[in-house]
Amino acid sequence: MAILVLGGAGYIGSHTVYELIDAGREVVIADNLETGYREAVHPAAAFYEGDIRDRAFIDSVFEKESIDGVIHFAANSLVGESMTNPLKYYDNNLCGTKVLLESMVAHHIDKIVFSSTAATYGEPERVPILETDHTDPTNCYGETKLSMEKMFKWTSQAHGLRFVSLRYFNACGAHVSGKIGEAHNPETHLIPLILQVPNGQREYISIFGDDYDTKDGTCIRDYIHVTDLAQAHILAMDYLLEGGENNIFNLGNGVGFTVKQVIDAARAVTGHSIPEKMAPRRAGDPAQLIASSDKAKNILGWKPVHADLKHIIETAWNWHKNHPQGFTEER
Ligand code: UDP
């Protein structure tokens, strides 16, 4: 029996596949390679190229393979793009998940672990954020992820399927082997953008706002290593396989760093001065997002092991300096 990883050629999906295979699990990947890379596909996994919006495609995967449960990463995830092109996000994230769920129900596949986000909370009422805190997304990306969670809830009620939703905070870092890492085009995330400076691809890093109500005026985020996220998916799938109820978990280290602190840590790791320039605030950015992950620790037994910020940046730097253009496939 295999685990089907949808979006297994993407950043967090590919790292999860590596951990599943290391744990001796059988893995099937489906990915449309719109943002994922064939090179990120683990050679020991079965791979199907196709789109979850294509019912015949997803049906054929369930018919050919013997699938125990699904881990679902197949979605668009750029906050800025979701604001300028919201219908793309409704189409891929919501319509795609609708087709997927129809096919899962038809094939009696009743377990799904789902990649959600801290963006479901919007401006937090307090930090650290608890899973029970209010959800009022400030961007369309977060809105579609929250709607996907609700789609699972109602489908579960009607058809008995069970789900775990994992709300990630700031995913970062790369596999310690250096074989896979973060490769977005365009890149919008802080750590890879900072590392473009010592890599000779950018002259300075822009700081989006230094007038927030934080210790140095820059935004605070909870940076969580991608391999720690990957482990949480395996624990969540095991929880469902053992009969666990529907659940939602935050995944973060519970420690916040300002943009300036992240830049300083990258200077220490790379030995480069990394010039910075102040820039206006970016629309939709809350001042601080920090997770309480006590629930994932208590119920899933999750324990992040790559929590140190410098170590996280070292793994990212190890990837980016050896793969300055990311994967070699054209985008
Ligand atoms: N950020 C920044 N400069 C950049 C990119 C990001 O100052 O070139 C800030 C951004 O405003 C946010 C933090 O870095 O406060 C993390 O942003 P990222 O896009 O990595 O993740 P997000 O928190 O949006 O999911």
Side-chain angles (χ1 to χ4, degrees), residues 83-135:
M83 300 300 276
T84 53
N85 197 355
L87 296 178
K88 175 175 175 180
Y89 281 68
Y90 277 91
D91 180 39
N92 192 17
N93 298 6
L94 277 176
C95 299
T97 301
K98 172 205 160 244
V99 175
L100 166 68
L101 286 174
E102 283 170 345
S103 182
M104 284 180 68
V105 169
H107 292 88
H108 310 291
I109 291 163
D110 63 355
K111 290 172 274 304
I112 183 162
V113 174
F114 160 64
S115 142
S116 188
T117 167
T120 52
Y121 293 108
E123 195 67 55
E125 58 190 279
R126 59 174 166 185
V127 291
I129 301 171
L130 291 172
E131 290 83 351
T132 45
D133 287 351
H134 81 230
T135 46

Side-chain angles (χ1 to χ4, degrees), residues 79 170 188-191 193 205-209 219-221 223 259 282 285-286 289:
V79 169
N170 287 61
T188 63
H189 294 109
L190 181 63
I191 292 175
L193 287 175
I205 183 72
S206 298
I207 297 179
F208 296 153
C219 286
I220 293 176
R221 293 288 181 274
Y223 294 88
V259 173
R282 190 173 65 176
D285 268 347
L289 291 172

